[in-house]
Amino acid sequence: MQVIFPILLIIFFVGIIFLLRKKKNILQPNVSIEKRLLQQYVPFYQKLNEADKTEFLVRVQQFLSKVRITGIDTLVEDIDRVFVAAGSVIPVFAHKNWEYSNIEEVLIYPGSFNNNFQLMGEERNILGMVGDGALQNQMILSQHDLRNGFLHDYNALNTVIHEFVHLIDKMDGAIDGIPELLLPQKLIKPWIQIMEKETEAIKQGQSEINLYGATKKAEFLAVVSEYYFKLPELLQLNHPELFSYLDLMYKGENKKTDIKKKPAR
């Protein structure tokens, strides 16, 4: 008994230290800082009424309380945490019961990287990615491009929204450009037809949509979603049919708000 008690005591204190270290990994800015950064830099938040701003802030805080944001060779600041959380909330704000089940940590690199996650050398053209395999439930973002997505409002680029749209797409079991949890079944075929038509226009040089959107359907969805949230009036003017489908997905008019993850296929 005299031997067992010290061992149990050691196990207890080691467990406490582990829990404290784990909790310390998840840092959250002060609420007043969050509100200031959202009001200053996030147009989506600026346009909300006071009640919706309160809800948006709560959801930002909920995300930051659950998801670790870790800097790799860079210092993660409050502005980065708020921008990541805002990027997670914006696409699903109309879906009140939404909860991401496929993200545990966001890794922040100082800039773009290559397929081997290297920050130096050639082919460093990746601005963000959703992890798979050993990086399952992780997201990687370029800090430079994370910030530019909110600091520059004159283009249709927002890397963090792009990557969270991939996560939304993935929650029905496949990253395929068809967000089944946001789109009624009867509209999936017409949506595929719109994607194919718009993709062909991009390839023919007859569209201002980012050329990267023509690489595959999943990237088309992510690219036009960036456009939808950054420059909605211009997207509606140039692509009214495409805009109407994205509006349906992201404004929650189909009432699909009880989000459950389907098994991967």
Side-chain angles (χ1 to χ4, degrees), residues 206-229:
Q206 299 172 352
S207 174
E208 81 292 354
I209 294 174
N210 189 332
L211 185 61
Y212 188 55
T215 55
K216 53 186 175 181
K217 289 183 173 64
E219 298 303 342
F220 177 84
L221 172 65
V223 164
V224 297
S225 296
E226 292 178 79
Y227 195 165
Y228 173 83
F229 287 111

Side-chain angles (χ1 to χ4, degrees), residues 6-7 9 34 37 55 68-69 87 106 122 166 179 201 204 211 217-218 227 230 244 248 251:
I7 293 174
L9 197 61
E34 293 172 339
L37 291 171
E55 181 182 345
R68 292 186 301 277
I69 301 178
V106 177
E122 300 179 351
H166 281 323
Q204 296 299 323
L211 185 61
K217 289 183 173 64
Y227 195 165
K230 286 287 296 281
S244 68
L248 173 65
K251 287 190 174 176

Side-chain angles (χ1 to χ4, degrees), residues 53-70:
K53 282 183 178 180
T54 298
E55 181 182 345
F56 192 99
L57 181 61
V58 167
R59 292 173 71 170
V60 162
Q61 293 171 322
Q62 289 173 341
F63 179 87
L64 291 174
S65 71
K66 296 177 181 179
V67 178
R68 292 186 301 277
I69 301 178
T70 306

Side-chain angles (χ1 to χ4, degrees), residues 87 91 100 130 139 159-171 175 179 182 218 220-223 225-226 229 250:
Y100 291 98
V130 170
M139 178 185 292
T159 297
V160 67
I161 288 178
H162 182 110
E163 297 306 325
F164 273 103
V165 169
H166 281 323
L167 279 188
I168 293 166
D169 190 12
K170 187 178 183 180
M171 283 185 68
I175 304 180
L182 303 185
F220 177 84
L221 172 65
V223 164
S225 296
E226 292 178 79
F229 287 111
Y250 294 123

Side-chain angles (χ1 to χ4, degrees), residues 177-180 182-195 241 244-249 253-254 256:
I178 306 168
E180 296 179 22
L182 303 185
L183 198 61
Q185 186 70 30
K186 65 181 180 181
L187 295 180
I188 288 178
K189 185 175 180 180
W191 168 244
I192 292 173
Q193 292 171 342
I194 290 172
M195 285 198 292
E241 186 179 25
S244 68
Y245 272 81
L246 293 170
D247 213 37
L248 173 65
M249 294 179 198
E253 295 172 1
N254 56 319
K256 275 185 140 181

Side-chain angles (χ1 to χ4, degrees), residues 31-45:
V31 175
S32 62
I33 294 175
E34 293 172 339
K35 290 177 68 174
R36 177 178 60 81
L37 291 171
L38 289 170
Q39 186 60 44
Q40 187 171 357
Y41 296 116
V42 181
F44 184 94
Y45 176 85

